[in-house]
């Protein structure tokens, strides 16, 4: 059961990570980064960096011996990117589909974290 959950999560994270390098989705992801964060690091850099994190984390879930570290890193990642999700939820007229309301977005993040815990414990 754990292997199935790990494999499914790996597919999700690798797939989402790849989208960080596709121009349209990457532009949308950059747009939802709060301006205060983009003043420190350019949006394109953050989008590419988070894409690499998701891809490596997804691959790591499939590698015995490092899957626990990868799972923990992905949990930290989900917490770290949540401010962008909060920002997007505050401006639905600006971000459209990316502006999932706060509570469903939070529930989704918590569900992903719970699945990651299930996959590595």
């Amino acid at each position: 059961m754990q292997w199935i959950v790990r494999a499914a999560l790996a597919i999700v994270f690798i797939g989402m990570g790849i989208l960080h390098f596709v121009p349209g989705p990457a532009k949308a992801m950059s747009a939802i980064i709060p301006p205060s964060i983009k003043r420190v690091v350019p949006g394109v850099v953050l989008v590419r960096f988070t894409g690499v994190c998701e891809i490596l984390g997804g691959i790591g879930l499939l590698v015995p011996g490092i899957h626990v570290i990868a799972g923990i890193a992905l949990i930290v990642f989900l917490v770290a990117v949540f401010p962008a999700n909060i920002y997007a939820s505050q401006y639905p007229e600006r971000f459209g589909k990316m502006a999932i309301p706060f509570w469903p977005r939070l529930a989704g993040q918590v569900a992903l974290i719970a699945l990651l815990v299930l996959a590595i414990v």
Side-chain angles (χ1 to χ4, degrees):
M1 175 67 165
Q2 255 188 335
W3 173 248
I4 293 169
V5 173
R6 226 180 286 148
L9 286 168
I11 291 167
V12 167
F13 281 104
I14 293 168
M16 286 302 296
I18 291 169
L19 284 177
H20 285 67
F21 297 92
V22 176
K27 184 177 179 182
M29 290 176 205
S30 180
I32 69 167
I33 298 170
S36 59
I37 296 172
K38 286 199 274 191
R39 279 193 282 275
V40 179
V41 181
V44 67
V45 171
L46 287 171
V47 170
R48 289 184 180 148
F49 175 73
T50 55
V52 169
C53 290
E54 286 185 284
I55 292 167
L56 292 177
I59 292 168
L61 288 174
L62 300 175
V63 179
I66 67 164
H67 69 275
V68 173
I69 293 168
I72 292 168
L74 286 168
I75 290 168
V76 170
F77 169 83
L78 289 170
V79 173
V81 299
F82 198 66
N85 296 324
I86 294 170
Y87 180 70
S89 74
Q90 294 172 340
Y91 301 98
E93 68 287 346
R94 180 174 175 195
F95 298 118
K97 293 178 186 177
M98 295 288 287
I100 297 169
F102 176 80
W103 293 109
R105 178 73 78 160
L106 178 61
Q109 297 286 93
V110 170
L112 277 173
I113 290 169
L115 286 169
L116 282 164
V117 170
L118 176 68
I120 64 173
V121 175

